[in-house]
Amino acid sequence: MSTLRFKVVEEASSRKAIEVKMPAERPEVYYGKHVFNRQKMFEYLPKKTYDALVRAIDNKEPLSREVADDVAEGMKRWAIDNGARHYTHWFQPLTDGTAEKHDAFVEHDGKGGVVEEFKGKLLVQQEPDASSFPSGGIRNTFEARGYSAWDISSPAFIIDHTLCIPTIFISYTGESLDYKTPLLRSLDAVDKAATAVARYFDPKVQHVNSFLGWEQEYFLVDEALYNARPDLVLTGRTLMGHESAKNQQLEDHYFGSIPSRVAAFMLELELESHKLGIPVKTRHNEVAPNQFELAPIFEETNLANDHNMLLMSVISEVARRHNFRVLLHEKPFAGINGSGKHNNWSLGTDQGSMLFSPGKTAEDNLQFIVFVVNVMAAVYRHNALLKASIASATNSHRLGANEAPPAIISIFTGSQLSNVLAALMEGDTEKLASLSGKEGLKLDLPQIPEIMIDNTDRNRTSPFAFTGNRFEFRAVGSSANCACAMIALNSAVAEQLAEFHRKVEKRLGAGEELVTALLEEVRALLRYANDIHFDGNGYSDEWKEEARRRGLDCETSVPLMFDAYLSPSSVKMFTETGVFTADELLARNEIKWEMYTKKIQIEARVLGDLALNHILPVATRYQSVLVDNVLKLHAIFGEEKGAKVSAPDMDTIESISTHIGAIKEQTACMVDARRKANKIESEREKAIAYHDTVEPCMAKIRYHIDKLELIVDNEMWPLPKYRELLFIR
Ligand code: ADP
Ligand code: MG
């Protein structure tokens, strides 16, 4: 009997909620307590230093060495006052998480003791030995140097008595080895391009910012059950497990009441997040049992992304304190919903105008239309790339499945906006435009009426939806670094806006009126990008057909999706916007393919081990119990009647044999496929081999194991079942 399974199930179900000590103060007192924000800067820095730092942050300028020394001194004092003993550069290498290497503040004082010191040069730049981070061949190990450099736009914070300084991470020769560097470059590109266009409507605009509000979905599992599932521990998802009789079909979990153990965990998570300046606001149950969501108030994209990375580590820590493990994997359980990370994205000017918000006046609405249509064109041109930006070994289990956005990028606009766009596409722009008055733009545009976007006009099946004042990129995976999607999106939109600006300038140069020029270009873009617009059911088979007809990217193999990064149009776009060099693109794709292979490789090994050493022995043991029974029945009833009464057992014995045989055969097949794939030199070809030859065996092995789970004596089954993993009491 599998005593371990029963023990852990009992342990999990007897656990009580852990009480959270709430601070006496309100959030406005403890919010940002662990962050070196402007308020702390003002308190700890000399006035001159504070002014210089704030100016550098606001104007995106570099800091002088003297200012850096003063900032480091003030930052150290604040950190020490708040219990820190160490500092670290905190960066986002091309792995799943963040990286840090801690140093204590201590230095020799020359008298046999120590002083705590922190100099500007250590704040601004460091040289972590970087040879073991993925570099896709950019940095050979003999030249292992990589630099981390302070990103002044993201404030330092304290975690676990360590001062963390957000940094970029680049190679000795300047290539980016992280997510933050290209993200910052893409934000700069979209700032420049969007500012030029936004000035048609408001000449005072100096900068356009990109905003991101992520919604993070995740699962919780009790730690005792988690520890009894080697697949969860090692791969983050269950590689086997028959569906629970009850899962999400009653739709009773979504927005349902939150179990008390989970509520306690969420409370502490929010508390910790707020102390770190992560503005989390919304929490609720998700569709699947044990699935939840957390969303902050949106922020500037670079900061929002740092906050998401930080949250993904904080959430795991806090979960442990509540005897949970958090699963950020996109598809921890087959047969029920997976987890995504909706990226709500928008652009806004430094003059306070949100560029995807329709306004009250015709001018506002023309600006709105111009920006929305440019986004549509960018997404259309780069739909394959945007899909590649969210593709991964883990997210592939979710994309295209019934609950997730399909593996085809299209844009949902909703009926009201669709009508306006259709009218614009047909309309005669000559008649539309009339300029009058000295104040600048004055419009009399019946085709651009007051646009009221009804926020309830939503389509949950769209991977990229317009939701009233923003676009929601929903195909992003729950475990992903949002930067990957945000880099592709902001760069593509930057390229598009720059081209739009060039064309409008040309028209203006030829003496056209501004409004006519804008409308003509908008109409041209609408005609060009019309095929990206789809308001129907993204899950339907008809859409797959239709999308293919429209020429949208329909690739379903992840290693092949990555090719989109190296297509001529992507290389042109990334190099022209200054976000990636061609070499960087090549190197990063090598890493993508390598990561893909490694993830599948690990899963295949774990599955092989579980199949051969956990499942088959138990199935055999149960089978021999049945065999024993058959022999005894024959002994009691004699040959003829014995055969009759033992017939049901004989059936079961046979089907167990069938499944055992299939599992053995498929496991051998999988091992063989792996061996062959491992010999392949090219990372791309290797990843393709893993996708085409290793993964299919895994699916077959799982199928037979799940069948055995239904046959074998419940008391013998070694691994916690879905019904036990999925329902927190
Ligand atoms: P829903 O689940 O209905 O999509 P949520 O409230 O869970 O909505 O999340 C919406 C997210 O979108 C939040 O993070 C919110 O701050 C963010 N958001 C709202 N407006 C904007 C905007 N203009 N730009 C970027 N993000 C936004
Ligand atoms: Mg949403």
Side-chain angles (χ1 to χ4, degrees):
M1 198 219 280
S2 175
T3 45
L4 174 68
R5 184 174 133 236
F6 284 91
K7 203 174 132 270
V8 296
V9 169
E10 194 183 307
E11 189 181 337
S13 49
S14 63
R15 254 194 262 276
K16 298 269 173 297
I18 289 175
E19 208 187 317
V20 180
K21 258 214 245 85
M22 286 302 287
E25 308 96 23
R26 304 297 304 166
E28 55 260 42
V29 179
Y30 58 77
Y31 187 86
K33 189 171 170 221
H34 299 327
V35 185
F36 194 60
N37 55 21
R38 290 193 183 196
Q39 190 194 341
K40 296 347 170 322
M41 289 175 191
F42 189 77
E43 193 182 330
Y44 280 87
L45 302 179
K47 177 82 172 63
K48 244 174 62 194
T49 311
Y50 172 81
D51 288 341
L53 180 57
V54 166
R55 207 171 329 118
I57 294 171
D58 288 345
N59 301 334
K60 304 180 182 181
E61 288 164 359
L63 269 191
S64 75
R65 181 45 58 85
E66 300 88 85
V67 175
D69 273 334
D70 287 349
V71 175
E73 178 57 29
M75 205 188 263
K76 180 201 73 183
R77 277 200 302 118
W78 168 74
I80 289 174
D81 282 354
N82 284 277
R85 293 283 171 276
H86 293 76
Y87 62 89
T88 181
H89 275 194
W90 181 82
F91 55 98
Q92 300 166 26
L94 297 168
T95 56
D96 279 344
T98 52
E100 44 200 85
K101 169 182 157 255
H102 299 188
D103 283 297
F105 287 117
V106 291
E107 295 290 347
H108 285 300
D109 69 351
K111 307 184 195 84
V114 290
V115 286
E116 289 196 295
E117 247 182 38
F118 188 45
K119 288 268 187 281
K121 71 176 204 295
L122 291 174
L123 165 65
V124 171
Q125 185 177 316
Q126 291 195 17
E127 209 176 301
D129 173 24
S131 52
S132 346
F133 291 108
S135 75
I138 277 181
R139 206 174 4 69
N140 299 324
T141 19
F142 60 82
E143 212 214 73
R145 274 182 293 179
Y147 289 111
S148 55
W150 184 27
D151 165 20
I152 59 171
S153 63
S154 182
F157 54 90
I158 296 174
I159 256 192
D160 291 338
H161 305 287
T162 301
L163 170 68
C164 298
I165 299 148
T167 55
I168 59 166
F169 183 47
I170 54 174
S171 77
Y172 181 60
T173 40
E175 286 95 356
S176 61
L177 298 172
D178 67 346
Y179 286 107
K180 192 188 257 290
T181 309
L183 178 63
L184 289 170
R185 290 179 190 154
S186 73
L187 295 174
D188 194 42
V190 82
D191 175 3
K192 289 208 174 74
T195 298
V197 175
R199 280 194 184 141
Y200 289 137
F201 306 94
D202 178 358
K204 292 196 296 299
V205 173
Q206 296 295 319
H207 285 293
V208 169
N209 285 313
S210 159
F211 298 102
L212 167 63
W214 39 265
E215 299 162 57
Q216 176 77 52
E217 293 178 337
Y218 60 94
F219 279 85
L220 288 176
V221 178
D222 185 90
E223 70 175 5
L225 299 167
Y226 173 91
N227 286 330
R229 291 281 315 217
D231 48 357
L232 276 183
V233 174
L234 296 175
T235 74
R237 74 172 177 118
T238 54
L239 298 172
M240 57 191 62
H242 196 277
E243 266 184 56
S244 165
K246 172 182 191 292
N247 47 49
Q248 63 188 41
Q249 62 272 62
L250 299 180
E251 297 177 340
D252 51 354
H253 193 252
Y254 192 54
F255 284 15
S257 71
I258 299 172
S260 58
R261 275 187 72 193
V262 178
F265 150 79
M266 285 178 168
L267 191 63
E268 185 167 353
L269 175 60
E270 285 168 358
L271 192 61
E272 291 302 320
S273 300
H274 284 167
K275 286 186 193 160
L276 284 163
I278 309 172
V280 299
K281 184 175 172 69
T282 307
R283 62 183 190 200
H284 58 78
N285 288 0
E286 261 303 326
V287 173
N290 274 18
Q291 192 188 26
F292 306 93
E293 181 187 296
L294 168 99
I297 303 169
F298 70 93
E299 299 176 284
E300 183 280 317
T301 297
N302 175 44
L303 185 60
N305 188 52
D306 280 359
H307 280 163
N308 182 248
M309 294 308 290
L310 191 51
L311 178 104
M312 288 200 285
S313 62
V314 173
I315 197 173
S316 306
E317 286 297 308
V318 175
R320 277 165 182 260
R321 276 183 240 148
H322 290 259
N323 304 111
F324 285 126
R325 286 293 186 279
V326 61
L327 307 177
L328 294 171
H329 194 289
E330 283 78 1
K331 194 78 179 175
F333 304 99
I336 56 173
N337 280 13
S339 300
K341 179 147 54 196
H342 296 179
N343 278 207
N344 293 270
W345 170 81
S346 65
L347 296 173
T349 71
D350 56 355
Q351 302 300 309
S353 172
M354 295 303 275
L355 297 172
F356 305 138
S357 294
K360 288 245 178 292
T361 64
E363 292 95 280
D364 285 349
N365 283 334
L366 181 57
Q367 170 177 288
F368 162 74
I369 293 287
V370 160
F371 279 92
V372 164
V373 169
N374 272 286
V375 171
M376 291 176 74
V379 173
Y380 177 60
R381 179 171 299 136
H382 294 290
N383 72 87
L385 173 70
L386 286 166
K387 192 167 87 181
S389 79
I390 53 90
S392 67
T394 51
N395 204 16
S396 69
H397 296 286
R398 170 177 162 261
L399 289 185
N402 224 18
E403 87 290 354
I408 301 166
I409 301 293
S410 63
I411 299 184
F412 167 85
T413 61
S415 53
Q416 288 141 314
L417 183 54
S418 296
N419 292 341
V420 174
L421 297 179
L424 267 175
M425 198 152 58
E426 304 306 322
D428 180 350
T429 47
E430 287 288 300
K431 282 200 212 112
L432 290 182
S434 73
L435 271 171
S436 66
K438 288 206 183 75
E439 316 91 284
L441 212 53
K442 266 251 177 83
L443 302 175
D444 176 19
L445 304 178
Q447 267 72 1
I448 307 185
E450 184 173 334
I451 303 174
M452 303 251 292
I453 300 293
D454 177 1
N455 211 9
T456 58
D457 187 8
R458 285 182 169 209
N459 176 331
R460 288 281 162 195
T461 69
S462 177
F464 201 97
F466 179 71
T467 48
N469 62 352
R470 61 190 187 268
F471 287 92
E472 191 170 334
F473 195 3
R474 300 198 184 117
V476 182
S478 50
S479 71
N481 185 319
C482 302
C484 205
M486 289 293 107
I487 292 164
L489 179 58
N490 283 299
S491 308
V493 170
E495 178 200 47
Q496 173 56 42
L497 285 169
E499 189 185 307
F500 180 83
H501 184 254
R502 272 194 302 277
K503 290 186 171 166
V504 171
E505 287 300 302
K506 205 166 151 211
R507 285 177 182 274
L508 296 181
E512 241 175 68
E513 301 276 25
L514 176 59
V515 176
T516 314
L518 292 172
L519 284 171
E520 284 297 340
E521 286 306 322
V522 160
R523 286 183 62 194
L525 285 182
L526 276 172
R527 273 186 240 115
Y528 162 71
N530 198 31
D531 277 347
I532 198 72
H533 179 203
F534 178 66
D535 278 7
N537 177 8
Y539 299 166
S540 68
D541 286 333
E542 297 83 72
W543 168 231
K544 281 185 202 141
E545 279 305 305
E546 169 67 16
R548 210 176 297 279
R549 263 198 302 280
R550 293 187 187 186
L552 298 176
D553 185 274
C554 296
E555 184 55 61
T556 56
S557 156
V558 170
L560 294 177
M561 286 182 201
F562 291 153
D563 286 347
Y565 270 98
L566 302 176
S567 73
S569 74
S570 298
V571 174
K572 176 171 176 292
M573 184 273 282
F574 279 129
T575 51
E576 280 181 11
T577 50
V579 174
F580 288 122
T581 64
D583 279 349
E584 284 174 318
L585 285 170
L586 272 174
R588 294 169 88 96
N589 254 30
E590 291 288 298
I591 296 169
K592 282 178 183 291
W593 284 312
E594 192 184 334
M595 285 289 163
Y596 180 87
T597 297
K598 284 182 174 162
K599 290 246 162 109
I600 312 279
Q601 190 176 53
I602 292 169
E603 286 188 349
R605 285 183 181 152
V606 173
L607 180 61
D609 170 45
L610 286 177
L612 299 184
N613 306 320
H614 295 236
I615 304 301
L616 290 194
V618 171
T620 312
R621 214 181 314 144
Y622 180 58
Q623 192 183 39
S624 85
V625 171
L626 295 177
V627 168
D628 197 43
N629 192 45
V630 169
L631 292 176
K632 285 174 180 160
L633 289 174
H634 275 267
I636 295 173
F637 292 108
E639 198 60 15
E640 203 175 321
K641 190 153 185 220
K644 219 166 156 192
V645 280
S646 66
D649 281 349
M650 287 301 292
D651 280 351
T652 312
I653 290 166
E654 238 186 285
S655 66
I656 290 178
S657 285
T658 310
H659 294 305
I660 288 179
I663 290 169
K664 280 196 168 158
E665 190 192 315
Q666 287 303 323
T667 307
C669 185
M670 176 179 77
V671 171
D672 191 51
R674 231 160 55 208
R675 200 171 291 138
K676 285 201 188 107
N678 290 343
K679 291 210 183 84
I680 299 173
E681 197 70 33
S682 141
E683 292 296 351
R684 178 176 179 275
E685 299 305 318
K686 198 191 290 185
I688 292 172
Y690 265 85
H691 175 272
D692 293 352
T693 64
V694 179
E695 278 208 294
C697 304
M698 294 175 64
K700 288 183 194 144
I701 296 168
R702 177 187 186 134
Y703 171 83
H704 291 285
I705 293 179
D706 290 355
K707 288 283 175 214
L708 280 177
E709 188 186 318
L710 290 183
I711 300 174
V712 172
D713 180 359
N714 181 51
E715 296 212 344
M716 287 183 173
W717 196 254
L719 303 175
K721 297 184 173 184
Y722 270 26
R723 64 164 190 265
E724 293 153 348
L725 290 165
L726 278 172
F727 297 91
I728 291 171
R729 278 140 287 245

